[in-house]
Amino acid sequence: QVQVVESGGGLAQPGGSLRLSCVASGTRFPFSNMGWYRQTPGKRRELVATISSGDETSYADSGKDRFTISRAGNTVFLRMDRLRPGDTAVYFCRVFVKISDAVTPDFWGQGTQVTVSP
């Protein structure tokens, strides 16, 4: 069974930094795309950044030039710099398992809370 476990959330001051980690495990198939999403109460979950198995990255406008996504094997990281109160959210990791070109189920982690406050 695929497991997706995030860590690294917490409290940061405006202008500060945090680094989130996400470890995916539990399958013999490779992980293809991996990504970070975030959600605040009453709002839809939104994309933050994604990274492919070939290390191609994409970012939502909210995190461009402040966030950096990277991966090492089955672990994906999100470095967040110059944090703002508006970055406060639960951050979720999403991974895709490549069973075949046509079959790529996705799995989510439980989320990690990031709070940006003085």
Side-chain angles (χ1 to χ4, degrees):
Q1 183 173 350
V2 175
Q3 292 187 322
V4 182
V5 180
E6 305 102 332
S7 62
L11 177 65
Q13 292 190 341
S17 299
L18 283 174
R19 186 191 194 213
L20 307 182
S21 300
C22 168
V23 179
S25 62
T27 177
R28 63 183 177 89
F29 296 101
F31 294 99
S32 57
N33 288 352
M34 306 177 85
W36 288 96
Y37 295 70
R38 67 186 186 185
Q39 188 171 24
T40 54
K43 293 189 176 181
R44 298 182 66 177
R45 195 170 295 184
E46 63 178 15
L47 171 71
V48 176
T50 62
I51 186 167
S52 71
S53 56
D55 290 336
E56 292 180 357
T57 60
S58 65
Y59 297 91
D61 288 343
S62 59
K64 278 183 180 177
D65 301 323
R66 296 189 301 123
F67 295 174
T68 304
I69 189 170
S70 61
R71 65 188 286 175
N74 293 348
T75 303
V76 61
F77 305 97
L78 184 68
R79 169 77 179 189
M80 302 186 292
D81 296 313
R82 302 193 301 280
L83 284 163
R84 306 166 180 167
D87 295 319
T88 296
V90 178
Y91 284 70
F92 296 89
C93 180
R94 182 187 190 189
V95 303
F96 290 82
V97 177
K98 187 174 182 179
I99 298 174
S100 71
D101 286 345
V103 182
T104 57
D106 65 320
F107 298 86
W108 292 86
Q110 295 287 337
T112 184
Q113 176 71 46
V114 170
T115 302
V116 183
S117 179

